[in-house]
Amino acid sequence: MGPFSKPDAEYLVVCLGNPGDEYRDTRHNAGFMCADILGERLGARYWKSQDSALTAQVSHEGHELVLAKPLTFMNLSGSAVRPLARRYSVDPGHIIVVHDEMDLVPGDVRVRRGGSASGHNGLKSIYERLGSKDMLRVRIGIGTPPGRMPGADYVLQRLKGEVLEAQRADCEVAADAVLCLVTEGLEETMQRFNGRHRLLER
């Protein structure tokens, strides 16, 4: 069956961000925020350094998961994901990637399988290193920069106050979506979460 046979974990949940305090509470670290929320909810005892990532092994309703925060910086995320997938024998279809998404407005969390990286370098790196786009994706909307602000400045801007709390709330929803994927599958999760933002606006 190849390098991903005999799984040691059912899902590898890869939450994207950049390491270091200077990147904490930025839009680009929405994935790391979600990882911390999942770790707290699922009782992660500790995070260990493994294959250029911080990882925690947890379980949810009988499903074994590995949570991962790549420490390679965003653009090289695939360099951590590939060896982790091999270590835990998880095929691409059971990798869940949680990441920020400029194409979605804040408050919009959506789920899909594969699709275009849409300029997200972390996702692009994972696609390239695994040679597959079969991953499940939980996309956390962060919107586009105002005026002429460069995209890099926008995603790395330190958030405070209500804006930060709003992103944390979105990450809570993203954590819900991850757990729904694990227990209910893609179709059910898409029905529950995709378009949720529009429903809340009515």
Side-chain angles (χ1 to χ4, degrees):
M1 291 179 63
F4 300 110
S5 60
K6 298 181 181 179
D8 297 316
E10 188 174 352
Y11 286 94
L12 173 61
V13 183
V14 179
C15 302
L16 299 186
N18 286 308
D21 287 341
E22 65 268 38
Y23 298 106
R24 186 186 302 275
D25 297 337
T26 64
R27 294 180 176 89
H28 224 19
N29 269 35
F32 276 16
M33 287 185 185
C34 185
D36 291 338
I37 290 167
L38 285 167
E40 289 179 10
R41 287 193 192 180
L42 301 179
R45 295 177 183 174
Y46 63 94
W47 294 79
K48 61 183 175 181
S49 182
Q50 194 173 61
D51 296 324
S52 300
L54 289 177
T55 65
Q57 291 182 258
V58 295
S59 62
H60 176 63
E61 295 187 10
H63 301 274
E64 298 300 317
L65 318 176
V66 174
L67 307 179
K69 297 190 284 185
L71 300 178
T72 55
F73 288 95
M74 185 71 76
N75 294 1
L76 299 175
S77 297
S79 297
V81 177
R82 180 180 170 85
L84 284 172
R86 289 181 178 275
R87 177 186 292 273
Y88 290 101
S89 302
V90 179
D91 66 53
H94 276 224
I95 296 174
I96 301 172
V97 183
V98 183
H99 63 91
D100 58 294
E101 177 69 78
M102 291 179 72
D103 288 345
L104 301 178
V105 298
D108 203 354
V109 174
R110 298 196 185 196
V111 179
R112 67 173 300 171
R113 184 184 295 280
S116 170
S118 299
H120 195 291
N121 290 328
L123 190 62
K124 190 183 302 181
S125 174
I126 294 171
Y127 281 175
E128 290 174 353
R129 291 304 301 269
L130 268 70
S132 173
K133 293 184 178 180
D134 201 34
M135 284 68 73
L136 298 162
R137 295 166 56 193
V138 176
R139 306 151 64 202
I140 302 169
I142 61 169
T144 54
R148 297 184 179 181
M149 177 185 288
D153 291 346
Y154 178 70
V155 298
L156 297 178
Q157 184 181 45
R158 196 74 174 261
L159 305 180
K160 298 179 181 179
E162 292 182 358
V163 178
L164 177 59
E165 290 306 311
Q167 177 158 300
R168 285 178 176 156
D170 293 344
C171 291
E172 293 277 0
V173 175
D176 292 340
V178 169
L179 298 181
C180 188
L181 279 171
V182 169
T183 58
E184 305 296 334
L186 178 60
E187 295 302 320
E188 175 66 23
T189 306
M190 290 175 66
Q191 289 183 18
R192 290 190 191 181
F193 290 87
N194 292 4
R196 176 179 177 275
H197 176 75
R198 291 193 299 274
L199 293 173
L200 290 175
E201 286 186 325
R202 290 178 182 173

